Amino acid sequence: MTTFISLVLFVAIVLYLPGLFAASFFFRDGIVAIAVAPLLSFALLAVIGVFFHSVGISSEWWMLVISTVVLSFIVFLFRNVATGPKEVSIASGIDWRTVIPYVLLGMLITGIFFVGSLAGFSSFAQLFDNASHLNSIKAMANGGNYSILAFDSFTGEELGSGISPSGASTHFYPAAWHLVTALACAAFGVSAAFAENASLFVMVGVVFPVSMWLLLVKVFEGNRKLILCGSVCTLAFSAFPWYFLVFGPLYSNLAAFAVVPIAIFITITVVESCCLGHVGIRDGLIVLAMGASLASLQPNAVFSVVVLSAPFCIGTIMKLLAERGISIKRRTVVSIAAIGLVLIVWVLLWMAPPLSATVTYPWPAIEGKCQAVIDVATLALRSNVPQLVLGLLVFAGAIYCIVKKNNRALVVSYGICALMFFICVTSDGTVRSLVDGFWYNDAYRIAALVALAGIPLSAIGLYVVCNSLGKLFRLIRKEGFDESVPFLAVLLLAIALLYSTGGVFSQKIGYYTPFGDIQNRLDWLGSSDTRRYAVDEEEFVCRALDLIGDDNKGVLNIPYDGSVFAYGADGMETVYRGYFSYGGDSEKPESILLRTSLVDIAYDDDVKEAARLMNVGYVLKLDSGGLGAEESTLDDDQAVYAESEFQGINSINDDTPGFDLVLSEGDMRLYRIAF
């Protein structure tokens, strides 16, 4: 526990300290600078990581952290030079105390549901995408290459020795979150999984709530009661962040969406400056930094900001131009021109060849139109578990905004996201690609947009309920009435209703509350019964590592038997570190030969030469009995690949010439290649 807390503090410092100095260059209000800091820290860390790699520096973790802090401080020193907005435009000012419930509730809820579901701090979700996450984090930490432009699951030393199955060079990947997690991994010498869990706790429990607080302070113009209601609702939506933890898992996209509220806040602030004629150097620099940060985390976050902030920006343009005496006709022309420009850029990017694979990603239509409407109305979305209380709060908030003619941009944003979800789950083809393609046509990611747009509305809905009950109590007791009592009572009741798991009662009747469903899914991920890389297999790998020692030879493996996680979790230098880290034009001929013919190494000189070129010295088999064996943990969905694509490894047994048995237990084997 002590190590985990230390890791959490380290990640929080890395995310808030560097960006704090840079944020103070843009925003003079200290609490605003703190809230904005993570967005800028991601950008600064990514830039320094790219710079070090480009000049050939293999950096230690402390080099990157210190360099980022120094660079940020240099920016801070120029805070009085550049012109631009020095204060945030919030009518009632900022009460820093309103952020406290966001942090406390965020850490409490994340601790209960996320940390509480872990089977130990080094446990991890054994899902498809997490193989890439863990292996890349480990490679960054081990190799000292923190460049998102030279991303790989292998260190530079491993690539030079030939262990990688691919001949392709490293590539760009939006790995800023991986970078931060790798720094923690390297600094404390823990497993990638341990560092990953600490990093996720900070993103879900601290960064996202504080980011949403900043946006709500802006949108609600300092209304303290409304802001307090927002603290209750921020983590209440299943679609985000919780389903990003149990599907994929979509960790890098989770980190990107966690800072999207900050980006929306910045976007609205800059648009205000432009409309007031106060645009300056700071505005351009903060937009540039924001774009770099979001692109380094997950490019679809840029498009998310466009979708979520567009109604606010158009409303701001109309309002501020009206205050300056601009005619309605000219205001309308400016607004239409702004919308048209955004749509033109959107279509041009959609047509851009580099994004074609993303916007045409082949997710099928998964629901009928009626069911999609029901899912949006009940906020079931991709969970299939209705969030009825939350749905009513969103509805109440939307009605309030429409009737009071206040914050109607929130309703428009929510409507756009709901329509995007409807199109995503009910259709395919060009229209869906154009609307949802930047998010891989993935309903889970679009559902997250619905959640982000719904949080402010649900906060307003909760505020309406609190005020209504307050008025009722005021009628009952006029003298000495303390309005804060029913207000806080309703907030506590809302927390109980929104985050209830249902406990034993839900299990008996077979119906789970939304957070009962989330808890079950998180518990399932941590259960030993669902592991492909089973506990006894991980223990076997650790013993094998002791026997291999410092041999610096690669270990040939079949990724589908659980060994796809052996490098990221335990540091074994396996060759195949992804479920599909082979095949295609980039695979080396030596890798193909070893996969298909390694069993013949005693008789085939070409196989021997391939093993030499790829610097492999061992063979790991965690399911030597194959699919159907009693002890097998082979991934049932992918086992066909284990038998058809890896027959050269799969066919090896204790009697195969050219292989010495080093370690054996049950159906697990480690062989040394001897030729």
Side-chain angles (χ1 to χ4, degrees):
M1 175 63 80
T2 302
T3 304
F4 184 77
I5 294 173
S6 299
L7 272 167
V8 166
L9 291 174
F10 177 83
V11 172
I13 290 170
V14 168
L15 284 176
Y16 280 95
L17 181 59
L20 176 59
F21 291 117
S24 298
F25 170 81
F26 298 105
F27 302 104
R28 294 299 178 89
D29 193 303
I31 190 64
V32 173
I34 292 173
V36 171
L39 184 74
L40 300 183
S41 291
F42 278 124
L44 291 167
L45 287 165
V47 168
I48 294 295
V50 169
F51 172 75
F52 278 175
H53 180 75
S54 65
V55 298
I57 298 177
S58 179
S59 55
E60 299 290 340
W61 67 267
W62 55 268
M63 295 169 60
L64 196 70
V65 173
I66 292 175
S67 298
T68 306
V69 173
V70 170
L71 176 60
S72 181
F73 187 72
I74 291 172
V75 173
F76 170 73
L77 293 177
F78 287 90
R79 67 192 184 281
N80 292 322
V81 176
T83 59
K86 296 182 179 181
E87 298 293 343
V88 180
S89 174
I90 300 176
S92 303
I94 299 176
D95 183 353
W96 66 268
R97 292 171 297 181
T98 57
V99 76
I100 295 175
Y102 283 81
V103 176
L104 294 181
L105 276 176
M107 291 194 296
L108 177 64
I109 294 166
T110 307
I112 292 172
F113 290 101
F114 175 65
V115 179
S117 70
L118 298 175
F121 294 119
S122 291
S123 67
F124 56 93
Q126 296 196 7
L127 299 176
F128 189 92
D129 289 7
N130 210 22
S132 174
H133 295 320
L134 290 172
N135 291 329
S136 301
I137 291 166
K138 187 68 173 178
M140 273 187 169
N142 283 358
N145 170 21
Y146 294 96
S147 173
I148 66 173
L149 300 182
F151 183 80
D152 208 292
S153 296
F154 294 83
T155 66
E157 183 179 352
E158 289 172 329
L159 291 171
S161 71
I163 290 177
S164 170
S166 172
S169 60
T170 54
H171 59 282
F172 163 76
Y173 186 79
W177 169 78
H178 299 78
L179 188 162
V180 170
T181 307
L183 290 174
C185 180
F188 286 79
V190 297
S191 68
F194 201 122
E196 182 181 74
N197 289 329
S199 180
L200 289 171
F201 176 84
V202 174
M203 295 307 305
V204 176
V206 180
V207 174
F208 178 55
V210 175
S211 300
M212 186 55 69
W213 167 82
L214 180 65
L215 177 60
L216 296 186
V217 165
K218 180 69 173 176
V219 171
F220 296 151
E221 298 184 325
N223 185 317
R224 290 165 178 78
K225 286 187 175 181
L226 264 175
I227 295 167
L228 185 58
C229 290
S231 68
V232 174
C233 301
T234 294
L235 291 179
F237 288 74
S238 299
F240 186 81
W242 305 106
Y243 263 65
F244 277 28
L245 296 173
V246 300
F247 172 78
L250 304 175
Y251 293 155
S252 58
N253 221 145
L254 185 154
F257 278 13
V259 296
V260 157
I262 302 174
I264 298 172
F265 166 84
I266 291 172
T267 302
I268 298 172
T269 303
V270 170
V271 168
E272 286 178 346
S273 295
C274 293
C275 291
L276 294 173
H278 297 161
V279 64
I281 295 174
R282 276 189 175 90
D283 297 282
L285 290 177
I286 190 67
V287 170
L288 181 64
M290 177 183 73
S293 179
L294 296 178
S296 70
L297 284 163
Q298 186 59 251
N300 65 40
V302 177
F303 299 96
S304 301
V305 172
V306 172
V307 169
L308 292 167
S309 66
F312 291 98
C313 293
I314 296 301
T316 298
I317 291 171
M318 295 290 285
K319 176 183 176 182
L320 295 181
L321 290 182
E323 291 176 357
R324 297 182 65 185
I326 306 299
S327 67
I328 182 64
K329 183 177 180 180
R330 292 183 63 185
R331 299 200 305 265
T332 304
V333 170
V334 171
S335 299
I336 292 175
I339 295 172
L341 179 61
V342 170
L343 293 178
I344 290 171
V345 173
W346 186 287
V347 173
L348 290 176
L349 290 173
W350 176 74
M351 296 171 62
L355 294 175
S356 62
T358 300
V359 300
T360 58
Y361 200 85
W363 281 102
I366 53 178
E367 288 184 359
K369 292 180 173 58
C370 290
Q371 185 60 49
V373 171
I374 293 172
D375 286 347
V376 171
T378 62
L379 292 176
L381 301 173
R382 294 299 297 125
S383 69
N384 297 320
V385 179
Q387 294 193 272
L388 298 178
V389 174
L390 197 59
L392 289 173
L393 291 179
V394 170
F395 179 75
I399 295 299
Y400 181 87
C401 290
I402 294 171
V403 172
K404 295 292 184 178
K405 297 182 180 180
N406 188 29
N407 283 321
R408 285 179 290 182
L410 292 172
V411 182
V412 178
S413 291
Y414 187 80
I416 291 172
C417 294
L419 179 61
M420 290 173 65
F421 179 81
F422 178 85
I423 293 172
C424 187
V425 298
T426 61
S427 64
D428 51 28
T430 303
V431 173
R432 186 184 69 168
S433 174
L434 184 59
V435 173
D436 300 304
F438 295 118
W439 295 267
Y440 297 93
N441 298 304
D442 179 8
Y444 284 94
R445 299 177 213 242
I446 304 300
L449 291 184
V450 177
L452 290 172
I455 290 170
L457 288 176
S458 63
I460 293 173
L462 182 56
Y463 172 78
V464 170
V465 173
C466 290
N467 270 359
S468 299
L469 288 178
K471 291 178 181 178
L472 179 61
F473 276 95
R474 194 181 303 115
L475 291 174
I476 297 174
R477 298 185 60 182
K478 294 184 178 180
E479 295 182 3
F481 175 73
D482 186 354
E483 293 186 18
S484 64
V485 174
F487 185 86
L488 292 175
V490 174
L491 288 185
L492 292 174
L493 178 61
I495 292 172
L497 290 174
L498 293 174
Y499 297 99
S500 170
T501 61
V504 177
F505 178 73
S506 289
Q507 297 176 19
K508 287 184 177 181
I509 66 175
Y511 173 79
Y512 291 95
T513 65
F515 270 79
D517 171 65
I518 289 168
Q519 185 178 60
N520 284 342
R521 290 175 185 269
L522 289 171
D523 288 344
W524 177 82
L525 288 178
S527 171
S528 59
D529 296 334
T530 62
R531 290 173 62 114
R532 296 303 182 190
Y533 187 41
V535 174
D536 60 337
E537 292 176 339
E538 187 168 8
E539 292 173 348
F540 181 85
V541 166
C542 291
R543 289 195 296 273
L545 283 169
D546 291 336
L547 295 174
I548 292 173
D550 298 326
D551 205 351
N552 293 322
K553 294 286 186 179
V555 181
L556 286 162
N557 64 303
I558 302 172
Y560 307 106
D561 62 8
S563 61
V564 70
F565 296 107
Y567 177 70
D570 301 297
M572 177 175 276
E573 291 187 285
T574 50
V575 173
Y576 299 103
R577 299 179 186 177
Y579 280 102
F580 293 101
S581 56
Y582 60 91
D585 297 335
S586 64
E587 186 178 13
K588 297 175 183 176
E590 302 89 65
S591 172
I592 298 173
L593 189 60
L594 293 179
R595 282 194 295 106
T596 57
S597 306
L598 179 64
V599 67
D600 300 325
I601 195 169
Y603 316 107
D604 193 325
D605 290 339
D606 290 337
V607 177
K608 293 177 183 178
E609 179 63 10
R612 185 189 69 79
L613 290 172
M614 287 195 63
N615 191 34
V616 293
Y618 297 88
V619 175
L620 175 71
K621 296 184 69 176
L622 297 181
D623 287 289
S624 60
L627 183 64
E630 183 177 351
E631 298 176 315
S632 175
T633 59
L634 270 172
D635 191 323
D636 296 347
D637 296 330
Q638 314 293 349
V640 60
Y641 299 110
E643 298 185 355
S644 62
E645 303 291 346
F646 291 86
Q647 62 267 37
I649 299 174
N650 205 35
S651 303
I652 297 170
N653 57 48
D654 296 355
D655 300 320
T656 303
F659 301 91
D660 295 335
L661 182 63
V662 177
L663 186 63
S664 172
E665 181 182 325
D667 65 346
M668 298 174 285
R669 301 288 187 274
L670 176 70
Y671 299 100
R672 180 184 292 109
I673 300 174
F675 59 87

